[in-house]
Amino acid sequence: MLTITYNTETQTNKAWIISRLGEIYLNYAEAQFKLGNESTAIQYLNLIRRRAGITTPLAGLTGTSLENKIRNERQVELCLEGHRYYDVRRWKIAQITENKPLMGVIITKNSNGTRTFTYKKVQDRIFKPEHYLLPIPRDEINRTGLVQNPGYN
């Protein structure tokens, strides 16, 4: 039996979510799509949508339209959870999605209670094909003789 001593000054009792059911359903739907099991992929997309209160089931999607729907559902369901960075790289679409300026929004509350949204460029971004790979740490290159990934020398 493992006993853990809890020290309130140096530790936290925060429960960190490693994976949640919505992500598992989406991973499974994407995997089934890639395996050619489109009906199973749709079934799991519908599970996600039902959990969010969307009662109209998806039907009749195939091929590229189904793949795009899976990608969209991941973007919506996993928003602000840090998955998009890895998704666009896994799908090899980062050259399209990441070569756009990073935008911010200034929200102004007007005197009549309405809001005005002003979009502002925060930063230019550049994504090159070599960015699909991460750099190998210099210590590993020195230790093993590996060749550095392109673009990181």
Side-chain angles (χ1 to χ4, degrees), residues 115-126:
R115 290 181 175 81
T116 303
F117 302 91
T118 307
Y119 295 93
K120 174 184 171 187
K121 181 170 75 170
V122 176
Q123 180 183 55
D124 285 318
R125 298 186 305 176
I126 298 172

Side-chain angles (χ1 to χ4, degrees), residues 21-108:
L21 188 58
E23 179 189 355
I24 293 168
Y25 283 170
L26 287 164
N27 290 346
Y28 193 70
E30 185 177 343
Q32 289 302 309
F33 171 77
K34 291 294 186 183
L35 290 170
N37 303 325
E38 293 182 346
S39 62
T40 305
I42 290 171
Q43 175 188 352
Y44 277 82
L45 284 181
N46 283 329
L47 283 173
I48 285 289
R49 294 165 61 83
R50 222 174 297 128
R51 291 176 77 232
I54 301 169
T55 56
T56 307
L58 296 173
L61 294 174
T62 60
T64 304
S65 62
L66 178 55
E67 183 176 34
N68 289 337
K69 190 62 174 174
I70 291 169
R71 290 176 178 185
N72 181 70
E73 290 293 328
R74 284 189 68 84
Q75 188 173 3
V76 170
E77 177 71 21
L78 303 175
C79 180
L80 304 177
E81 293 184 24
H83 295 272
R84 184 80 175 156
Y85 176 90
Y86 300 102
D87 286 348
V88 298
R89 283 155 179 77
R90 182 177 69 253
W91 299 328
K92 299 286 193 221
I93 62 169
Q95 283 179 270
I96 299 164
T97 62
E98 306 302 295
N99 273 327
K100 297 176 182 174
L102 179 64
M103 301 297 286
V105 63
I106 299 168
I107 304 170
T108 307

